[in-house]
């Protein structure tokens, strides 16, 4: 949940570090800092509470000299968001500086041990144990690199750590342990980079490699060496990243989230590109490697996710059952990992993890792996942690998503899950070629339908003006649209700080109906599908109890005007893909309400883009 950047080369490090942190701020933004090795070899540390702008304001034009450094943007776990808790952290003698992503589970014991040895701590963080541990090994005569590796042996939990030292100017040493956030290494001419995420280094290089679990990297101006944590050298091949820095800019939009909502038609095209033949009516998912024999052996599917990804998994569960005719269930990753799940080689585990780094999903996948289950993961980047556990990876290809609240990655996750259900259905014989043709024809129109939804901005602005001062919302849906009701409520909670709940409409009379009055707006997902009449009954009950109903419904539905107060219309589509369309109106409604409430849309309080520790 923190952003890390490192640089060594022939250029001044500080401007490069700050530029990289700006692209990583979505990963954490309660404090930021940099450390640069100065002319005397000692790390010069500058850090500040608050967003990156506070640090850059403090620095002004007085950038520290030096061509090797590290930077960090933080989301607090241990210790509050203060100047002294901000990273980088140093040792007693200011010879070592460290940035860290993760939680040191045994930090109390380590801290007590280090204090008894005479080390003095200046922060409340668990992370500060790390530079002091490195210092203790340096004092024993070990090299800087070996001191960092020895430190990794003392830590419990999942970590990504980068360190610099007076003892080896021009060097970066980093390691990954457990399921902490990933580290990507960027290659340049007489310079090298390291970061938590690709966008941070894209302006400087597109040649990258990824640091794996229990691996270390030693980076100098001229060389990059990899090893295991026990010191065994390993080799890695470089890959070329196709993303560009321009796509990470807001462009004409006031917020990244709005830009990314508007990118959804193009993003869905990217998700489908090369995976669907609109001419031959075939689905061939590039990263899906199960053979026909393995697919026939599947007796059950378990879909895993957290937050928005869980809601996508819940929709995917319906698609898997209705299209592929395989019993399926969706589970919260953090709950799955702590129950004695019945999983075996006949259970296909599908993980939805947009970042590829979510700690609970990684732990759940590791558990499934130990039980012999075949796995496929959906994520947005190549080489992520989930893709290194799963045997198959379906890339979302939505492009960088900077807004913390997922928008285009959710819609791309749904699209990828739908394609997966189609491929499983055709290969198991539960979907006929004619049915597949109809589905692919409709997918071809999906970007256009999403584009149509984006043209109704005035309606959302009007609704925002009417409802931004309300404190509670209820979202209702049934069938495929029940998970979308949960997602709509989550979006409103995330970015506008309004309390909202998503419920299956059939559950309303079992409790939630007691909350309905004139102060409780109800957002009802009511497209023309097999549950349409039942949804009409539900909103009628809400209306009789004083509720104000905002209906998200199918274009041309005149009947709904009699039973609802406000309408948002979606293009007419088959019920099975309505969830993909329904996502966008709820994102826009939440966005405009949040803007009206003057909330920080792109960086909501207490949230980070990737939850990389438990």
């Amino acid at each position: 949940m923190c952003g890390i950047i490192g640089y060594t080369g022939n250029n001044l490090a500080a401007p490069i570090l700050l530029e990289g942190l700006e692209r990583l701020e979505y990963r954490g933004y309660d404090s930021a800092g940099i450390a640069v090795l100065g002319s005397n070899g000692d790390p010069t540390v500058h850090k500040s509470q608050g967003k990156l702008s506070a640090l850059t304001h403090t620095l002004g034009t007085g950038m520290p000299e030096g061509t090797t450094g590290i930077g960090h943007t933080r989301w607090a776990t241990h210790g509050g968001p203060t100047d002294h808790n901000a990273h980088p952290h140093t040792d007693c003698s200011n010879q070592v500086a460290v940035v860290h992503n993760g939680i040191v589970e045994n930090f109390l014991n380590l801290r007590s041990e280090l204090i008894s040895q005479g080390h003095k701590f200046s922060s409340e963080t668990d992370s500060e144990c790390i530079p002091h541990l490195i210092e203790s090994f340096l004092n024993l005569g070990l090299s800087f690199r070996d001191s960092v590796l020895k430190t990794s042996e003392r830590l419990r939990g999942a970590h990504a750590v980068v360190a610099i030292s007076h003892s080896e100017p021009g060097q970066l040493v980093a390691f990954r342990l457990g399921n902490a956030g990933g580290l990507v290494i960027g290659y340049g001419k007489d310079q090298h980079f390291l970061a938590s995420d690709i966008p941070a280094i894209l302006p400087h290089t597109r040649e990258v490699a990824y640091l794996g679990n229990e691996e270390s990297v030693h980076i100098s101006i001229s060389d990059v060496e990899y090893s295991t944590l026990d010191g065994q050298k390993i080799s890695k091949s470089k890959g070329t990243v196709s993303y560009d820095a321009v796509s990470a800019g807001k462009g004409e939009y006031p917020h990244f989230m709005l830009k990314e909502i508007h990118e959804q038609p193009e993003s869905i095209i990217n998700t489908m590109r090369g995976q669907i033949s609109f001419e031959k009516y075939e689905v061939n998912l590039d990263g899906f490697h199960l053979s026909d024999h393995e697919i026939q052996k599947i007796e059950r599917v378990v879909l895993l996710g957290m937050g928005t990804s869980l809601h996508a998994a819940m929709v995917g569960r319906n698609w898997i059952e209705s299209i592929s005719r395989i019993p399926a269930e969706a589970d919260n990753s953090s709950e799955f990992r702590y129950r004695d799940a019945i999983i075996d080689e006949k259970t296909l585990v599908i993980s939805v993890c947009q970042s590829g780094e979510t700690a609970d999903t990684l732990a759940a996948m590791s558990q499934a792996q130990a039980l012999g289950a075949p796995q496929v993961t959906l994520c947005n980047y190549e080489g992520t942690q989930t893709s290194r556990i799963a045997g198959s990876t379906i890339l979302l290809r939505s492009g960088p998503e900077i807004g913390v609240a997922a928008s285009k990655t959710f819609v791309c996750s749904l699209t990828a899950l739908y394609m997966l259900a189609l491929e499983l259905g055709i290969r198991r014989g539960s979907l006929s070629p004619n049915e597949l043709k109809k589905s692919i024809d409709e997918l071809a129109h999906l970007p256009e339908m999403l584009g149509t939804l984006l043209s109704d901005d005035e309606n959302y602005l009007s609704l925002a003006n009417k409802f931004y001062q309300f404190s509670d919302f209820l979202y209702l849906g049934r069938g495929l649209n029940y998970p979308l009701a949960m997602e709509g409520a989550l979006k409103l909670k995330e970015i506008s700080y309004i309390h909202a709940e998503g419920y299956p409409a059939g559950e309303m009379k079992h409790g939630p109906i007691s909350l309905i009055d004139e102060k409780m707006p109800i957002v009802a997902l009511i497209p023309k599908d097999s549950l349409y009449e039942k949804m009409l009954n539900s909103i009628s009950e809400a209306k009789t109890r004083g509720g104000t109903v905002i209906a998200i419904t199918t274009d041309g539905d005149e009947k709904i005007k009699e039973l609802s107060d406000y309408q948002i219309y979606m293009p007419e589509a088959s019920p099975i893909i309505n969830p993909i369309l329904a996502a966008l109106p709820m994102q826009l409604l939440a966005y405009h309400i949040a803007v009206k409430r003057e909330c920080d849309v792109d960086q909501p309080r207490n949230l980070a883009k990737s939850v990389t520790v438990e």
Side-chain angles (χ1 to χ4, degrees):
M1 289 168 293
C2 302
I4 289 172
I5 182 79
Y7 172 79
T8 186
N10 292 321
N11 298 305
L12 286 178
I16 294 171
L17 298 175
L18 292 170
E19 181 186 38
L21 289 179
E22 186 177 2
R23 290 180 171 83
L24 292 172
E25 201 175 15
Y26 63 90
R27 296 176 62 93
Y29 40 85
D30 61 32
S31 60
I34 61 172
V36 176
L37 292 178
S39 57
N40 63 354
D42 291 340
T44 301
V45 178
H46 298 270
K47 52 188 183 179
S48 179
Q49 176 186 350
K51 294 187 177 182
L52 183 63
S53 57
L55 176 63
T56 55
H57 177 75
T58 300
L59 287 170
T61 58
M63 291 289 178
E65 298 290 329
T67 60
T68 299
I70 53 178
H72 189 273
T73 181
R74 181 174 185 250
W75 189 54
T77 50
H78 287 81
T82 63
D83 287 355
H84 63 272
N85 286 333
H87 295 220
H89 291 290
T90 59
D91 64 328
C92 297
S93 56
N94 196 41
Q95 302 293 295
V96 175
V98 165
V99 289
H100 169 230
N101 181 19
I103 295 175
V104 182
E105 294 179 0
N106 58 331
F107 91 100
L108 287 175
N109 291 335
L110 289 174
R111 187 184 178 102
S112 177
E113 174 190 324
L114 289 162
I115 289 174
S116 71
Q117 295 172 2
H119 291 268
K120 297 185 184 300
F121 284 72
S122 60
S123 80
E124 304 160 289
T125 69
D126 56 336
S127 303
E128 196 183 350
C129 293
I130 299 170
H132 289 291
L133 282 170
I134 295 172
E135 179 188 20
S136 68
F137 289 115
L138 284 170
N139 290 339
L140 294 175
L142 275 66
S143 68
F144 176 51
R145 184 179 188 179
D146 288 343
S147 295
V148 174
L149 293 179
K150 281 292 184 182
T151 296
S152 73
E153 296 175 5
R154 297 297 313 278
L155 303 180
R156 299 291 176 267
H159 311 282
V161 173
V162 186
I164 55 176
S165 172
H166 170 91
S167 64
E168 289 193 32
Q171 316 287 309
L172 301 171
V173 179
F175 68 83
R176 276 197 52 220
L177 179 65
N179 292 322
L183 290 174
V184 57
I185 290 81
Y187 294 79
K189 184 178 181 182
D190 296 325
Q191 59 181 352
H192 291 102
F193 309 82
L194 180 149
S196 299
D197 209 350
I198 292 169
I201 60 176
L202 276 184
H204 307 284
T205 181
R206 293 189 181 184
E207 281 194 303
V208 301
Y210 297 89
L211 197 64
N213 184 24
E214 298 191 2
E215 291 181 356
S216 173
V217 62
H218 184 207
I219 303 174
S220 67
I221 295 174
S222 59
D223 197 20
V224 177
E225 295 181 357
Y226 298 94
S227 71
T228 59
L229 292 185
D230 61 4
Q232 300 296 312
K233 288 189 176 182
I234 55 177
S235 61
K236 285 184 177 288
S237 58
K238 293 182 285 186
T240 302
V241 178
S242 59
Y243 298 125
D244 59 82
V246 175
S247 65
K250 292 178 187 175
E252 62 182 317
Y253 298 100
H255 299 95
F256 280 112
M257 184 178 181
L258 185 60
K259 174 179 180 285
E260 287 151 6
I261 290 172
H262 279 260
E263 287 174 343
Q264 287 177 109
E266 182 181 359
S267 295
I268 280 186
I269 292 171
N270 290 337
T271 301
M272 295 188 292
R273 183 176 287 126
Q275 317 258 25
I276 286 184
S277 169
F278 294 103
E279 295 79 24
K280 297 180 181 179
Y281 295 104
E282 294 175 346
V283 179
N284 293 297
L285 300 177
D286 290 342
F288 186 50
H289 302 308
L290 268 67
S291 66
D292 288 343
H293 175 68
E294 290 171 315
I295 289 174
Q296 293 301 325
K297 284 173 57 179
I298 296 170
E299 295 181 352
R300 185 168 67 110
V301 174
V302 174
L303 297 99
L304 301 171
M306 298 285 289
T308 289
S309 292
L310 174 60
H311 300 153
M314 292 169 69
V315 178
R317 173 230 173 162
N318 280 272
W319 283 333
I320 294 290
E321 290 195 331
S322 63
I323 298 171
S324 312
R325 306 306 299 159
I326 310 172
E329 61 186 81
D331 208 338
N332 183 297
S333 300
S334 65
E335 295 300 313
F336 175 89
R337 63 180 291 196
Y338 290 116
R339 67 179 176 84
D340 192 13
I342 301 173
I343 299 291
D344 58 23
E345 67 280 357
K346 296 179 181 178
T347 306
L348 175 63
V349 174
I350 301 171
S351 56
V352 185
C353 186
Q354 298 147 9
S355 68
E357 297 181 359
T358 301
D360 285 304
T361 299
L362 288 164
M365 291 175 68
S366 295
Q367 182 177 331
Q369 184 181 45
L371 295 170
Q375 296 196 56
V376 56
T377 190
L378 279 64
C379 61
N380 198 32
Y381 295 105
E382 298 179 78
T384 59
Q385 295 183 75
T386 58
S387 66
R388 290 194 285 273
I389 295 175
S392 298
T393 299
I394 300 173
L395 292 174
L396 304 183
R397 301 172 180 167
S398 67
E401 186 176 69
I402 307 304
V404 167
S407 54
K408 63 180 179 178
T409 51
F410 175 63
V411 171
C412 289
S413 294
L414 291 176
T415 305
L417 284 167
Y418 185 59
M419 292 192 301
L420 178 58
L422 293 175
E423 177 154 348
L424 287 171
I426 202 72
R427 290 174 67 180
R428 283 177 67 96
S430 59
L431 186 71
S432 72
N434 189 51
E435 290 170 326
L436 177 64
K437 180 181 181 299
K438 289 180 180 178
S439 297
I440 290 177
D441 278 336
E442 190 164 46
L443 280 173
H445 296 292
L446 190 55
E448 181 185 357
M449 288 190 280
L450 288 171
T452 300
L453 282 167
L454 290 167
S455 64
D456 191 21
D457 214 36
E458 287 301 318
N459 192 21
Y460 298 105
L461 287 168
S462 175
L463 289 170
N465 286 329
K466 290 182 175 72
F467 293 104
Y468 76 98
Q469 292 181 311
F470 283 74
S471 58
D472 300 278
F473 271 70
L474 181 64
Y475 284 69
L476 298 175
R478 297 201 70 159
L480 281 166
N481 294 299
Y482 159 47
L484 270 293
M486 295 182 67
E487 175 63 13
L490 176 62
K491 280 294 159 286
L492 193 67
K493 284 184 279 194
E494 283 180 312
I495 63 173
S496 74
Y497 316 142
I498 294 174
H499 172 251
E501 297 297 335
Y503 270 90
E507 182 76 3
M508 189 174 65
K509 288 189 287 188
H510 296 265
I513 197 168
S514 66
L515 297 171
I516 295 176
D517 58 19
E518 67 280 356
K519 297 179 182 179
M520 174 74 82
I522 297 110
V523 179
L525 288 141
I526 183 167
K528 283 289 188 71
D529 59 17
S530 61
L531 293 166
Y532 176 76
E533 297 295 336
K534 292 187 180 296
M535 280 297 300
L536 286 179
N537 291 336
S538 294
I539 65 171
S540 178
E541 291 170 347
K543 284 287 294 176
T544 60
R545 286 156 179 84
T548 301
V549 176
I550 304 168
I552 300 177
T553 188
T554 304
D555 195 19
D557 185 354
E558 294 297 321
K559 186 176 182 180
I560 198 69
K561 291 181 179 179
E562 303 171 10
L563 295 172
S564 61
D565 300 278
Y566 305 95
Q567 300 82 36
I568 299 173
Y569 286 103
M570 301 183 296
E572 187 173 356
S574 68
I576 202 160
I577 70 160
N578 265 324
I580 303 177
L581 297 173
L584 199 149
M586 292 187 297
Q587 292 169 2
L588 285 170
L589 181 62
Y591 170 80
H592 285 290
I593 289 175
V595 170
K596 186 67 178 176
R597 289 168 65 89
E598 298 183 353
C599 297
D600 192 339
V601 173
D602 287 333
Q603 297 176 342
R605 67 191 182 204
N606 303 330
L607 295 177
K609 188 67 175 174
S610 303
V611 183
T612 56
V613 293
E614 182 180 356

